[in-house]
Amino acid sequence: MQPTTQIVQQSIPQTAPHAAQKTARNATAIALSTLLARGIQFGWILMLGRLIGVSDFGVYGTIGGMIGTAAVIPEFGMGLIVLRDVAQRPAFAGRYLSATLVAQPLLACAAYVLLVLAGLLLPYDTATRLLIMLAALSLIVDALGNPIDGAGPITTTETSPIEKVAPG
């Protein structure tokens, strides 16, 4: 007697061609804008290196490295965790958002204190220590979400509810 094989077909939702085109267009725009931003940043670094000289560029690189390393502390992977957990449990979106909005500034303050201590403990001159302390403030400003471009508050004409059923 031969075993019978049953094929179970699941209904897979088909995306509309328009949605796929929109997704591809958005992904392309993000990739191009990221590439442009990295190119501008690379050009700025080359120009800055020529303008300020070798020793000052070393100070700039050191401070940039310290800030880049310390910037991991306020983020702490929360963005991905919140995104994943809210997708799984949309009813808790408010709780996740409020916990993140409280935790990130506190972690940014901790990162600031660590950078100040590192600046004081490492054998840097006074000017470099002050630059470290000043640059470290960017961690706190970034965690609070304040725009630093001087253009005022971020405004939008589109709104969407936080808890929304995904299309499809």
Side-chain angles (χ1 to χ4, degrees):
M1 191 159 137
Q2 297 262 1
T4 59
T5 306
Q6 292 181 347
I7 298 175
V8 177
Q9 291 185 345
Q10 294 178 328
S11 63
I12 300 172
Q14 298 294 324
T15 58
H18 178 69
Q21 289 173 347
K22 185 176 179 182
T23 302
R25 194 171 50 243
N26 289 343
T28 302
I30 291 170
L32 290 176
S33 64
T34 302
L35 187 62
L36 179 64
R38 298 285 190 244
I40 291 170
Q41 185 179 21
F42 180 71
W44 166 248
I45 295 295
L46 290 177
M47 189 174 69
L48 184 66
R50 288 224 179 242
L51 290 173
I52 65 175
V54 175
S55 64
D56 288 337
F57 189 72
V59 170
Y60 172 81
T62 300
I63 293 171
M66 291 174 78
I67 297 297
T69 303
V72 172
I73 295 171
E75 173 56 30
F76 217 63
M78 278 190 246
L80 294 174
I81 293 169
V82 168
L83 185 65
R84 180 199 65 203
D85 289 355
V86 167
Q88 292 173 353
R89 294 181 285 279
F92 295 116
R95 288 183 186 172
Y96 286 119
L97 183 60
S98 61
T100 302
L101 290 175
V102 169
Q104 281 189 326
L106 293 175
L107 289 171
C109 289
Y112 177 78
V113 169
L114 287 173
L115 279 176
V116 168
L117 288 174
L120 293 173
L121 295 175
L122 295 172
Y124 294 126
D125 61 354
T126 304
T128 303
R129 287 179 176 150
L130 289 173
L131 286 172
I132 290 170
M133 291 176 197
L134 183 63
L137 286 174
S138 67
L139 296 172
I140 297 171
V141 171
D142 187 48
L144 294 174
N146 293 329
I148 58 172
D149 59 1
I154 299 170
T155 58
T156 181
T157 56
E158 291 184 36
T159 60
S160 181
I162 291 175
E163 299 173 12
K164 180 179 177 182
V165 177

